[in-house]
Amino acid sequence: MIEFNLLLILSVLSLFIGLLFAFFLFTTKTKNRLSNSIFGIFLLLCALDNIFISTILHTNFKTLSIAIAMTVFLQSPVLYFYVQSVCYSDFTLKKIHVIHIIPYIIANLLVLSGSYGVDPYSPIILLSELSQSLKNKLIHILVHIQVFSYLIAAFMVLIRSKKLYLENYANSSISFYNWLFQLISVIFILHIFAVLKNIYKFSDDNHIYYWTKVILVFTELLIFCWYVLKALNYPDVFKSVDSKLKLASHLNPEDSTQSAPVHENNDSIQRLKSYMQSEEPFLNPALSINELASSVELPAKELSILINQNIGQHFFDFINAYRIEKAKHILTDISKKQVTVLEILYEVGFNSKSSFNTAFKKHTGTTPTLYRKKNILVS
């Protein structure tokens, strides 16, 4: 008879929420269909892993338990693909990506070959032999090395993608990058705890090992709930860039303004600033560097280097600086004191209150509301 303990209850809840959210991601028709499907697969693998940790499979279905346990080698590659699919608009799954399942195949060859297609007692013997064997310890070590390697790779993708986004787009919200950094950071911390859990697994203290498993599964349950809340509150939180874009620091100097005389750079900067003040293109929330380059009749590469290296700002910060100046002018206009902060932020090119407040405080050191009160009183 299956023992209904705390670990089992938490695992079943985690499995239910994970499967429900994965089904939602698989069936929801959005422009982020590929990334949603990949994330759904990741949730499914995590939910199955939680069931393996519990006693329901480990005690009653030995062969299935081993098979599910080996899917841990698939979680990290799937998460890495998810990060890439969110960050890069041109990401697609290719045949070359099959190499990422090689560790999973090797793990199956090492472990599952002794349990498939044999008598029902073989898996029991196999699990008993593996519990403290050198092979099992090696498998755990390889899992953790794989996990942290992929997480570091995911962080590197995020850092590069964010730089590309800041250099090429002026959409005022970058909350999707914050979400991804939070996601990877939480999973990184969770796996540090998993390392500690597995250390106790190979010790003689079964009591501590049990409670570390309980805490781990409970934490993953909370993380699943966090995923759901994030999806409900920010259904269109993700944007992406073209992976073929280059950072301004990596552009060929021969094709840029770095090879142009200083006075030509100064002329281009002056022409750019004059256009920004007269035409106010920053009022467009979705302004990109390609659109602005076309308007000021400069190659996009030249404009990128001009802003990032000669002016010393990301395109994102360069555009937001003009938006904030426009907002400051409206906030201090007594004739517009009835206009709300929400109306102002949309008027100057922002699309969310949080991103406007963050940018405004970055440039002025205070909030829009306090800035308005202070300056109207002075007037």
Side-chain angles (χ1 to χ4, degrees):
M1 183 177 180
I2 298 173
E3 180 185 0
F4 286 91
N5 54 30
L6 178 60
L7 182 60
L8 175 60
I9 293 172
L10 291 174
S11 298
V12 171
L13 285 174
S14 179
L15 178 65
F16 175 76
I17 294 176
L19 291 177
L20 186 64
F21 191 34
F23 177 77
F24 168 77
L25 291 172
F26 289 142
T27 56
T28 301
K29 295 181 179 180
T30 68
K31 62 182 180 181
N32 305 317
R33 187 68 180 268
L34 177 60
S35 59
N36 283 348
S37 298
I38 295 175
F39 193 48
I41 294 172
F42 173 71
L43 291 175
L44 183 62
L45 291 172
C46 291
L48 290 175
D49 189 42
N50 276 348
I51 283 295
F52 167 73
I53 293 176
S54 73
T55 58
I56 183 171
L57 290 176
H58 194 68
T59 303
N60 299 276
F61 306 100
K62 306 296 181 179
T63 302
L64 182 59
S65 176
I66 298 173
I68 292 176
M70 293 302 102
T71 62
V72 70
F73 283 98
L74 298 176
Q75 291 180 26
S76 298
V78 170
L79 178 64
Y80 178 67
F81 290 153
Y82 171 67
V83 173
Q84 285 195 312
S85 69
V86 172
C87 290
Y88 298 128
S89 58
D90 57 340
F91 174 82
T92 56
L93 290 173
K94 302 175 182 178
K95 292 181 180 179
I96 189 65
H97 291 148
V98 174
I99 63 173
H100 292 272
I101 68 172
I102 290 177
Y104 172 72
I105 295 174
I106 293 175
N108 275 272
L109 292 175
L110 287 174
V111 180
L112 295 179
S113 58
S115 61
Y116 282 140
V118 294
D119 65 89
Y121 296 102
S122 294
I124 300 176
I125 299 172
L126 179 62
L127 280 177
S128 177
E129 291 176 348
L130 279 175
S131 61
Q132 295 295 329
S133 70
L134 180 61
K135 181 189 290 186
N136 194 25
K137 293 176 183 178
L138 178 61
I139 289 174
H140 279 77
I141 292 172
L142 292 177
V143 167
H144 292 307
I145 290 175
Q146 184 206 42
V147 167
F148 289 117
S149 297
Y150 274 101
L151 288 177
I152 291 172
F155 272 122
M156 293 174 66
V157 169
L158 282 174
I159 292 170
R160 182 181 183 275
S161 176
K162 185 175 182 179
K163 287 182 178 178
L164 284 173
Y165 190 85
L166 293 176
E167 290 184 3
N168 291 276
Y169 299 91
N171 188 294
S172 57
S173 177
I174 55 172
S175 57
F176 60 104
Y177 282 114
N178 296 333
W179 145 251
L180 286 176
F181 274 110
Q182 291 169 9
L183 172 66
I184 302 302
S185 298
V186 166
I187 294 175
F188 194 92
I189 294 172
L190 192 66
H191 276 281
I192 291 177
F193 188 80
V195 172
L196 297 177
K197 183 263 294 183
N198 286 328
I199 290 175
Y200 283 112
K201 179 177 183 178
F202 296 106
S203 69
D204 296 327
D205 199 330
N206 293 327
H207 182 72
I208 295 179
Y209 173 57
Y210 172 81
W211 283 106
T212 54
K213 288 196 295 183
V214 170
I215 295 173
L216 187 63
V217 173
F218 178 69
T219 303
E220 291 194 1
L221 176 60
L222 293 179
I223 293 174
F224 280 165
C225 294
W226 176 55
Y227 293 159
V228 175
L229 290 175
K230 181 67 73 170
L232 293 176
N233 291 326
Y234 305 97
D236 194 30
V237 74
F238 302 120
K239 300 171 182 65
S240 53
V241 299
D242 191 329
S243 64
K244 298 181 183 65
L245 290 173
K246 292 184 179 180
L247 295 170
S249 58
H250 295 167
L251 292 175
N252 188 348
E254 295 179 358
D255 298 329
S256 71
T257 53
Q258 283 186 329
S259 59
V262 175
H263 72 273
E264 289 187 17
N265 287 341
N266 291 336
D267 289 344
S268 296
I269 292 172
Q270 187 57 45
R271 177 152 54 100
L272 172 63
K273 290 183 176 180
S274 297
Y275 180 82
M276 295 295 295
Q277 292 171 355
S278 61
E279 301 299 325
E280 297 185 331
F282 53 85
L283 299 181
N284 175 11
L287 180 67
S288 70
I289 199 165
N290 287 330
E291 292 172 322
L292 184 58
S294 177
S295 299
V296 297
E297 298 179 347
L298 281 174
K301 288 184 179 181
E302 284 193 15
L303 182 59
S304 178
I305 294 179
L306 195 70
I307 294 173
N308 285 277
Q309 297 185 16
N310 293 84
I311 296 178
Q313 289 181 299
H314 287 306
F315 179 70
F316 181 87
D317 292 330
F318 175 74
I319 297 300
N320 275 353
Y322 282 93
R323 290 171 174 165
I324 296 302
E325 287 301 317
K326 180 77 172 180
K328 286 165 62 178
H329 176 73
I330 299 174
L331 288 167
T332 55
D333 189 342
I334 297 178
S335 65
K336 295 184 178 181
K337 63 181 181 180
Q338 298 303 322
V339 181
T340 66
V341 172
L342 189 62
E343 292 172 321
I344 293 172
L345 71 90
Y346 286 121
E347 182 179 341
V348 301
F350 285 90
N351 54 18
S352 75
K353 190 173 182 179
S354 60
S355 60
F356 175 60
N357 287 337
T358 300
F360 195 91
K361 193 167 186 179
K362 178 180 178 180
H363 285 83
T364 66
T366 186
T367 64
T369 303
L370 292 177
Y371 183 86
R372 167 180 264 178
K373 288 180 179 179
K374 179 180 177 180
N375 285 276
I376 288 181
L377 287 175
V378 170
S379 301

